[in-house]
Amino acid sequence: QAKALGKGRFIFFDDSMRQQLMANLNLEHELRKALREEQFVLHFQKITDLHSEKIEQGETLGFETLLRWQHPQRGLLSPGDFLEVAEESGLIIDIECWVLATVAKQLQSWDQQGDYPNTFVSVNLSPRQLQQKNQVNQLIGIIHKHFLQPERLILEFNERAFVQSPEQSLQALKMLKSAGVKLALDDYGYGLSSLNYLSNYPFAFIKLHQSFVKSLKNNERNLTLARSLHELGDSFGFRLVAEGVETQAQLELVKQAGCDYAQGYFISRPQAADLSEDVDDNGDDDVIDCA
Ligand code: C2E
Ligand code: MG
Ligand code: MG
Ligand code: MG
């Protein structure tokens, strides 16, 4: 915000700004330590295929990976508690490298145990990952290093990742698609929700934000909008995913709205997967090299 005031102006730091700054610096310091000491944890939330017959025990399309931080004093933290500082400091790049490597191990472990055959794993990525071409190449390198089957990986971005430099981010998405991964537009129906991304960006999935899903109950026009999006998806080649489904009624509505997949507390809460059952236990491939 200080930047927005422009150069050559006096900027007054009051006590609360100073406190905020100190708190952020401290958080950044703690995040660095968290990376070194592996305090991060992944939770997974099931994504269900709405076309299967019994939704409650429906086919699993896959799992969305949600980052958690097991903070030594403050307990289990959610991205809302630290993501901003992680992004501003650039630490998010290393954190997401850890996320990808850990997800790859989880997928391997599920495969070895015969659990969830052929499911996808969906990972949220920061806008930073798309900002520079060499950053994208580094990301692709990490993916190819860790994932035997990149086509089972979905990368989620929300519009924040594209607004600043639409051309560069489109190039980046095309590079990622060529590298074999699938792409998802997260939180659609919240904020700008530009149509341009639907028609010109190579998304395999459009995820409807939970506020839009909630609105379906008493907003007939949004229901119509969702159905039209589904039809657009048929021509443009994307599938619709409903986020934040919390009730049976919402589940019925998102089906009526033409959503192909759904996730939410009603279907399954995000939870830790048990990596402790890791089959390969010689320890040496546990080292994650993210430099
Ligand atoms: P998102 O990707 O849109 O994820 C959905 C959020 O809604 C998650 O919050 C999830 O726990 C929550 N949720 C799931 N089902 C329900 C439901 O039925 N009702 C309600 N009210 N909420 C539900 P969470 O885990 O706090 O994550 C918040 C956001 O943080 C995510 O939103 C995603 O944008 C971001 N995020 C998570 N992990 C990462 C990561 O590794 N990297 C980056 N850059 N962002 C991440
Ligand atoms: Mg997401
Ligand atoms: Mg979302
Ligand atoms: Mg269809």
Side-chain angles (χ1 to χ4, degrees), residues 150-182:
E151 63 278 9
R152 285 173 72 187
L153 179 63
I154 302 171
L155 300 179
E156 301 188 7
F157 295 93
N158 61 34
E159 274 173 289
R160 267 194 320 129
F162 318 126
V163 283
Q164 274 196 350
S165 40
E167 274 313 309
Q168 160 61 25
S169 52
L170 177 57
Q171 283 321 111
L173 291 180
K174 286 181 176 165
M175 285 164 70
L176 287 167
K177 193 185 172 191
S178 314
V181 303
K182 297 203 161 49

Side-chain angles (χ1 to χ4, degrees), residues 64 124 156 186 207 243:
E64 177 172 5
N124 295 286
E156 301 188 7
D186 204 356
K207 303 189 73 170
E243 298 189 81

Side-chain angles (χ1 to χ4, degrees), residues 113-129:
Q113 289 164 57
D115 296 337
Y116 316 117
N118 303 317
T119 52
F120 286 88
V121 180
S122 200
V123 171
N124 295 286
L125 290 183
S126 147
R128 278 212 176 223
Q129 299 279 5

Side-chain angles (χ1 to χ4, degrees), residues 51 230-231 233-234 238-239 258-260:
H51 301 298
H230 172 85
E231 275 172 35
D234 283 345
F238 60 74
R239 294 306 189 93
C259 291
D260 302 289

